[in-house]
């Protein structure tokens, strides 16, 4: 208390040439925007510098960038596992108003901060009328908000397609193949097919990407987030497994993760197409509409 009173006394400085007292308003400048603060605030802490977490796979071999486009996406895609979590759409949940989808991307080897974000951009009227068949563009950014690449999905009626573009250049596409109950997708890099997904449907939430010989290349798992999340929201969570990680990057809980055995690692361009597949899966099968109009209690994970 004595120290506090001493600080308050120091704020009042007696002017030798006048009877006015000058009040030092600097401590209030941080809290009130209307305070007149003309001097630099020396005691304000510096803002933390944002940085992208390091990659969890060595950029060599097939992961070595073969073009400027691949070099641009390497900081996000040169990772063994990506956890993609979709935000809760409160307006959709309560009122049935379709919102733009947003996702956060985390590397399980560095869970402290996101390594990327995904944000949809679409027409508000098209979202309400076309719902899951609406056309949209999704921007994939790194942890600092810089755009790395984008995926574009046009309007569809029977089967959907989604395109991956880097610097405005189309690098690959995912075509959904019609089937009565199975979930089948074909993945292309340019005009060459490099993989396919054949999910048996129903309650199977694992989508294994295989090459033309049936060998495993990657895997996308749709995780169960808890009863409340699954019943009342469409805030899904997906894990993209690209294969083994650099052992030096696996510390803490990440060291207990069992890596996926793959016949070969996907290139960076192929991984961009795999991310486009995950976004397409979320919109094709795991998006729902709200409009409950009542509060609810979300059961924890």
């Amino acid at each position: 208390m004595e120290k506090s009173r001493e600080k308050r006394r120091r704020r009042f400085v007696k002017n030798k040439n006048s009877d006015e007292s000058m009040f030092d308003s600097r401590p209030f400048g941080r809290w009130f925007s209307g305070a007149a603060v003309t001097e630099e605030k020396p005691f304000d802490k510096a803002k933390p510098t944002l940085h992208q977490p390091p990659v969890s796979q060595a950029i060599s071999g097939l992961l070595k960038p073969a073009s400027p486009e691949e070099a641009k996406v390497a900081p996000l895609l040169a990772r063994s596992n990506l956890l993609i979590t979709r935000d809760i759409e409160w307006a959709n949940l309560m009122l049935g108003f379709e919102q733009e989808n947003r996702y956060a991307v985390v590397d399980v080897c560095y869970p402290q901060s996101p390594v990327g974000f995904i944000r949809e951009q679409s027409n508000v009227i098209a979202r309400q009328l076309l719902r899951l068949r609406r056309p949209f563009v999704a921007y994939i950014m790194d942890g600092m908000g810089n755009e790395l690449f984008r995926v574009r999905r046009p309007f569809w009626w029977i089967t959907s397609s989604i395109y991956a573009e880097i610097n405005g250049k189309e690098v690959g596409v995912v075509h959904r193949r019609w089937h009565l109950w199975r979930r089948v997708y074909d993945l292309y890099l340019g005009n060459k097919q490099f993989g396919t997904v054949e999910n048996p449907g129903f309650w199977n939430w694992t989508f294994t990407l295989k090459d033309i010989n049936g060998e495993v290349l990657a895997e996308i798992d749709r995780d169960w987030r808890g009863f409340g999340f699954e019943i009342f929201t469409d805030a899904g969570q997906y894990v993209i497994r690209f294969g083994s990680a650099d052992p030096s990057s696996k510390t803490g809980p990440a060291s207990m993760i069992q890596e996926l055995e793959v016949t070969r690692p996907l290139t960076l361009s192929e991984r961009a197409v795999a991310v486009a597949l995950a976004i397409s899966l979320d919109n094709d099968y795991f998006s729902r509409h709200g409009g409950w109009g009542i509060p609810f209690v979300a059961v924890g994970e």
Side-chain angles (χ1 to χ4, degrees):
M1 292 176 63
E2 288 293 335
K3 290 181 180 180
S4 178
R5 282 195 291 268
E6 181 65 21
K7 288 181 180 179
R8 287 197 297 269
R9 281 194 295 268
R10 289 178 181 177
R11 290 175 188 168
F12 290 93
V13 181
K14 190 69 175 179
N15 194 332
K16 295 180 180 180
N17 300 323
S18 65
D19 295 333
E20 294 179 356
S21 295
M22 295 186 303
F23 179 73
D24 184 6
S25 61
R26 285 180 297 173
F28 295 89
R30 292 183 298 171
W31 311 108
F32 299 99
S33 59
V37 182
T38 58
E39 299 183 59
E40 185 180 359
K41 295 169 281 190
F43 45 83
D44 278 357
K45 295 182 179 179
K47 294 182 180 180
T49 303
L50 298 178
H51 64 278
Q52 183 80 351
V55 296
S56 58
Q57 285 184 316
I59 305 179
S60 60
L62 288 177
L63 280 181
K64 185 177 181 179
S67 64
E69 289 78 16
E70 288 194 342
K72 185 175 182 179
V73 302
L76 175 64
L77 299 181
R79 304 178 185 276
S80 57
N81 300 283
L82 291 178
L83 179 65
I84 303 177
T85 304
R86 180 172 169 180
D87 290 345
I88 297 178
E89 301 173 6
W90 293 105
N92 185 15
L93 175 66
M94 306 301 294
L95 306 174
F97 182 84
E98 191 73 24
Q99 296 177 264
E100 293 176 331
N101 296 334
R102 297 187 180 186
Y103 310 80
V105 186
V106 174
D107 185 344
V108 296
C109 291
Y110 307 100
Q112 295 82 7
S113 59
V115 297
F117 301 94
I118 303 174
R119 180 178 179 179
E120 174 194 341
Q121 187 177 71
S122 58
N123 182 272
V124 61
I125 298 178
R127 289 200 307 272
Q128 313 313 314
L129 298 179
L130 301 178
R131 295 289 181 170
L132 301 180
R133 289 180 168 81
R134 66 181 182 269
F136 66 82
V137 176
Y139 296 87
I140 293 85
M141 301 167 286
D142 63 13
M144 297 174 290
N146 303 313
E147 181 185 339
L148 301 180
F149 68 101
R150 63 184 65 177
V151 297
R152 175 178 54 87
R153 188 159 111 149
F155 167 78
W156 61 277
W157 183 248
I158 302 298
T159 58
S160 63
S161 297
I162 193 166
Y163 301 83
E165 301 175 348
I166 305 177
N167 289 335
K169 177 183 177 182
E170 181 183 317
V171 296
V173 60
V174 180
H175 293 301
R176 177 184 171 190
R177 205 188 316 163
W178 187 88
H179 195 277
L180 186 59
W181 67 86
R182 297 174 66 189
R183 302 161 178 175
V184 185
Y185 290 85
D186 296 318
L187 287 77
Y188 292 84
L189 197 63
N191 296 323
K192 182 180 179 181
Q193 183 176 358
F194 71 90
T196 185
V197 172
E198 296 185 359
N199 180 278
F202 300 104
W203 291 102
N204 191 302
W205 287 3
T206 299
F207 300 83
T208 304
L209 174 60
K210 299 181 180 180
D211 61 13
I212 57 176
N213 298 320
E215 301 292 338
V216 176
L217 297 176
E219 190 175 83
I220 301 176
D221 284 328
R222 208 279 192 179
D223 289 345
W224 174 267
R225 298 195 65 189
F227 181 81
F229 274 103
E230 301 299 338
I231 297 299
F232 296 104
T233 77
D234 54 3
Q237 192 172 73
Y238 304 84
V239 179
I240 306 180
R241 308 179 193 275
F242 289 124
S244 59
D246 185 357
S248 62
S249 67
K250 298 186 64 175
T251 59
S255 60
M256 298 183 293
I257 297 177
Q258 184 176 0
E259 301 291 349
L260 178 69
E261 295 293 332
V262 297
T263 185
R264 69 167 179 87
L266 293 176
T267 65
L268 294 170
S269 296
E270 291 172 340
R271 295 184 180 203
V273 180
V275 172
L277 170 63
I279 297 174
S280 186
L281 290 173
D282 181 55
N283 284 270
D284 286 342
Y285 300 111
F286 300 105
S287 292
R288 60 184 303 276
H289 307 301
W292 294 85
I294 55 175
F296 69 94
V297 177
V299 180
E301 298 181 41

